[in-house]
Amino acid sequence: MNLDSLSFALSQISYSVANLTKKNFKSSVAEILHLVGQHGAEADRHLFRCLFSYVDFSGDGKNTGNLFHQTQFLVQECASLSRKPNFVSILCYALDNPLHHQKLFKINR
């Protein structure tokens, strides 16, 4: 199987986000941000798609303690993203193109 550099980087970002723990948080975040820096906008968009896929938007209040680190990283990156000129486009893309395992938005009427 031959993967180009970008495909490999996106896979690594997905894997690292999925496996964030207290023990590996700093090193994994540093590796992810290095990959994003190397591969640019496509990797940045993919990172936000991955991070948003771990947020439960259903509002049912269930404990998601096992996803604390993904949520913490999302909050950290949203603060960083808000200072970028492409803030709106990355945010909209991440929300409009969810990964297949993303918790769906629940609209209460």
Side-chain angles (χ1 to χ4, degrees):
M1 184 166 129
N2 235 347
L3 288 178
D4 63 79
S5 178
L6 178 60
S7 295
F8 181 74
L10 299 183
S11 295
Q12 185 61 34
I13 290 169
S14 296
Y15 177 82
S16 295
V17 168
N19 293 290
L20 283 174
T21 64
K22 181 178 182 179
K23 187 175 183 177
N24 71 10
F25 186 80
K26 286 183 181 179
S27 62
S28 292
V29 166
E31 178 186 5
I32 291 167
L33 295 178
H34 177 73
L35 289 169
V36 168
Q38 280 186 317
H39 296 280
E42 186 67 29
D44 211 12
R45 291 189 323 175
H46 184 73
L47 170 60
F48 278 92
R49 288 179 70 206
C50 290
L51 290 172
F52 274 110
S53 73
Y54 287 97
V55 176
D56 183 0
F57 291 104
S58 68
D60 60 9
K62 291 182 181 175
N63 185 0
T64 57
N66 59 329
L67 301 177
F68 171 78
H69 301 290
Q70 288 84 357
T71 305
Q72 181 182 11
F73 189 26
L74 175 62
V75 169
Q76 173 185 317
E77 285 305 296
C78 281
S80 173
L81 180 63
S82 68
R83 294 184 293 273
K84 294 181 181 179
N86 57 351
F87 165 70
V88 174
S89 64
I90 288 177
L91 189 62
C92 289
Y93 183 85
L95 295 172
D96 287 344
N97 299 286
L99 296 177
H100 64 279
H101 60 276
Q102 183 168 9
K103 302 285 185 179
L104 296 177
F105 293 104
K106 182 178 180 182
I107 300 172
N108 295 323
R109 294 179 190 228

